[in-house]
Amino acid sequence: MIIDTLDKLSNYAALNALFPDVQKFLKENDIQSLPDGRLDILGDDLYVNIQQAAPRTREEAKLESHRKMIDIQIPISDAEEMGYSPLCKLSDSPYEADKDISFYPEAPESYFSVKPGEFVIFFPQDGHAPAISQKGLKKAIFKVKA
């Protein structure tokens, strides 16, 4: 997992061949004005989901992980709390291949806040519980082929 400010995203370009394409997209588009839904950048290898996340508590936010995709999550409208646990500390859980997702019954080991102007990268080894907020928020989730 990596958390940093958007102006430092280029520091992580070497970690995945598609990360520079995310940076280019962010330079060329105002994510605040993008409509909700999926926008393909490079087909199924790289796309962004713009969504309005409903309010949710820590208890309602379940840990999840992905095998094929890396998440780059960016809160747009408000700060967002997220939970985190390393995948190696979580129980075996069913994998939904068509959605590239597993959910876990454990509570996150830790919580942190991400504000607009910041991002977090979740790799396949990162269990994460996103979108914890009292009033909901608009966010962008870049899905990047691992």
Side-chain angles (χ1 to χ4, degrees):
M1 178 188 76
I2 296 170
I3 183 171
D4 208 336
T5 55
L6 283 171
D7 62 322
K8 302 287 190 305
L9 184 59
S10 63
N11 293 347
Y12 307 98
L15 297 178
N16 182 289
L18 298 173
F19 283 5
D21 294 303
V22 173
Q23 183 181 6
K24 179 181 180 211
F25 182 88
L26 288 168
K27 284 183 180 179
E28 295 175 354
N29 295 276
D30 175 15
I31 60 172
Q32 292 185 7
S33 65
L34 292 175
D36 290 356
R38 176 177 165 157
L39 177 61
D40 287 340
I41 301 169
L42 294 172
D44 288 336
D45 290 346
L46 175 61
Y47 57 94
V48 62
N49 283 320
I50 305 295
Q51 63 180 239
Q52 297 289 333
R56 109 171 138 167
T57 65
R58 285 182 173 186
E59 294 73 30
E60 293 170 323
K62 301 297 179 204
L63 280 167
E64 63 185 61
S65 70
H66 314 288
R67 293 183 186 177
K68 299 177 185 174
M69 303 301 276
I70 297 166
D71 279 3
I72 301 177
Q73 299 197 18
I74 304 169
I76 297 171
S77 64
D78 290 295
E80 170 181 10
E81 186 178 27
M82 298 184 183
Y84 170 79
S85 290
L87 190 61
C88 63
K89 294 185 177 182
L90 299 175
S91 60
D92 287 334
S93 290
Y95 173 65
E96 298 177 42
D98 59 325
K99 297 179 182 175
D100 186 38
I101 198 162
S102 293
F103 290 101
Y104 303 90
E106 293 92 349
E109 284 189 350
S110 61
Y111 292 90
F112 59 94
S113 181
V114 183
K115 300 178 225 52
E118 298 177 340
F119 68 91
V120 62
I121 302 174
F122 293 114
F123 295 93
Q125 70 269 18
D126 298 322
H128 54 285
I132 301 167
S133 74
Q134 292 183 355
K135 59 183 178 177
L137 72 146
K138 182 176 182 176
K139 65 183 294 182
I141 305 168
F142 286 87
K143 304 296 280 186
V144 183
K145 186 175 180 180

